[in-house]
Amino acid sequence: MIATIGVVSLIAACSGNGGGGNADAGGDTYPGDNITFVVPFSAGGPTDTVTRMIAEPMAAKLGGKIVVQNVEGAGGTVGAGEVARAEPDGYTLLMHHIGMSTAPALYKDLGYQPLESFETVGLVTEVPMTVVARKDFAPATLKDLVTHVKANADKVTLANAGIGAASHLCGLLFQTAAGVKLQEVPYEGTGPALTDLVGGQVDFMCDQTTNTSGQISAGEVKAYAVTTPERVKSLPDLPTTAEAGLPGLEVSVWHGLYVPKGTPQDVVQKLSEALKVALADQRVMDQMAKLGTTPVPAESATPQAHRTKLEEQLGTWGKVIADAGVEAS
């Protein structure tokens, strides 16, 4: 399913940064055409939200237009595969999250390899996750939740956004940390999963603060903990998983920008510099803060820092997924 949801554009006023012209990659002519940011998940989800936050200031820096396109399917692998096969000219980028580091362990016939098929542009943000439940769910604390699910493992439902999704990975870690195997209910995206959680059709789930902060603040869901070492400023009363008694559950969802392998290095550098400008934009920082996250520091919004993170995460999640015996079809 492919849906082009919006265009973010800004024609730079200063000389040497004009939009339009030819679409040749590299040199002073880039960008000479629209740039497409592919989001491999549904519109309105956490990754889509982060992408749209940075698109406008990046377009302003580059002096062109950025089109955000949602290409859903197979835990983000459909969209990622399209970008891997795209022309390496700097006009097709991928915004992906932690799923880039888990896909090789989940899918036998992936069709691409993260380190071999892409050039890294830079990290964008690391989003905390929350453990949330339907508001009338009996357990009052995270410790109570662990006790309850152990006693009712055949009855409790754990929702996620599909195999390989961040919510699925967090759910795997929860089950490992709690020492229990639960009935998982996969959805086609975090949106419908959270909708059913609010509606009481499922019991609990993990999801990113970019998706749950509003529901938590409005009292539409019961929140147990945030899965990071420190509390989230936008949810100051929500304890960390370590504070709440489950230190083994610690995960954040990092996002990064990619281009196809072979993209000219001067183009990659221009994109990285535009990313740094976007992450330093006050409006972007304010928007992220409202959703319980922050932009990465400038030194992390670089190709090398991003690649180092990807290499480390590939090793970490490969082992977690192999130990869990999970495989996507």
Side-chain angles (χ1 to χ4, degrees):
M1 177 179 178
I2 301 176
T4 301
I5 305 300
V7 177
V8 180
S9 65
L10 190 150
I11 306 301
C14 56
S15 60
N17 251 358
N22 63 56
D24 294 336
D28 294 335
T29 61
Y30 178 84
D33 204 347
N34 289 353
I35 298 171
T36 298
F37 279 11
V38 172
V39 176
F41 305 104
S42 60
T47 303
D48 181 72
T49 298
V50 169
T51 305
R52 294 177 190 279
M53 284 181 184
I54 67 167
E56 184 172 348
M58 282 192 70
K61 172 63 176 175
L62 292 166
K65 299 180 180 180
I66 292 178
V67 179
V68 179
Q69 186 178 64
N70 298 84
V71 183
E72 306 170 41
T77 62
V78 173
E82 286 200 7
V83 176
R85 295 186 295 272
E87 286 295 320
D89 55 11
Y91 289 94
T92 306
L93 281 75
L94 173 71
M95 173 72 90
H96 210 333
H97 63 25
I98 192 173
M100 182 65 98
S101 62
T102 63
L106 288 168
Y107 294 87
K108 287 184 177 180
D109 301 313
L110 190 57
Y112 62 86
Q113 291 300 319
L115 294 172
E116 288 75 26
S117 303
F118 298 93
E119 306 276 1
T120 51
V121 175
L123 295 169
V124 178
T125 185
E126 292 206 30
V127 183
M129 300 198 77
T130 52
V131 182
V132 293
R134 54 184 171 85
K135 62 183 180 181
D136 59 348
F137 201 37
T141 67
L142 189 62
K143 281 186 177 181
D144 292 341
L145 176 64
V146 172
T147 300
H148 182 84
V149 299
K150 283 184 174 181
N152 299 276
D154 59 335
K155 301 174 184 176
V156 173
T157 50
L158 172 61
N160 63 54
I163 291 179
S167 53
H168 173 238
L169 300 172
C170 182
L172 288 180
L173 286 182
F174 174 88
Q175 292 175 82
T176 298
V180 65
K181 178 64 178 175
L182 300 174
Q183 178 184 346
E184 297 183 63
V185 183
Y187 286 81
E188 291 293 329
T190 54
L194 192 58
T195 295
D196 270 10
L197 186 74
V198 172
Q201 280 74 52
V202 287
D203 293 325
F204 82 110
M205 68 181 293
C206 291
D207 202 1
Q208 299 173 60
T209 56
T210 46
N211 214 36
T212 61
S213 292
Q215 284 82 359
I216 292 172
S217 298
E220 295 178 348
V221 295
K222 180 178 289 186
Y224 293 111
V226 61
T227 65
T228 45
E230 297 180 353
R231 294 194 181 199
V232 174
K233 290 182 179 179
S234 62
L235 300 167
D237 296 328
L238 192 62
T240 67
T241 47
E243 290 174 332
L246 198 63
L249 179 58
E250 187 175 302
V251 60
S252 60
V253 183
W254 55 275
H255 294 75
L257 277 174
Y258 302 81
V259 288
K261 195 74 170 181
T263 300
Q265 285 304 301
D266 59 340
V267 172
V268 174
Q269 192 58 39
K270 281 188 176 182
L271 290 166
S272 181
E273 291 303 317
L275 175 60
K276 291 177 186 176
V277 169
L279 296 179
D281 184 274
Q282 189 60 52
R283 186 167 64 172
V284 171
M285 291 189 286
D286 291 344
Q287 289 174 325
M288 286 193 179
K290 289 179 181 178
L291 296 174
T293 187
T294 58
V296 299
E299 58 267 25
S300 295
T302 65
Q304 186 54 53
H306 185 180
R307 185 177 178 86
T308 298
K309 178 75 169 183
L310 179 59
E311 290 172 341
E312 181 266 325
Q313 289 280 284
L314 282 164
T316 296
W317 287 106
K319 183 179 186 308
V320 169
I321 291 167
D323 289 349
V326 178
E327 182 177 302
S329 56

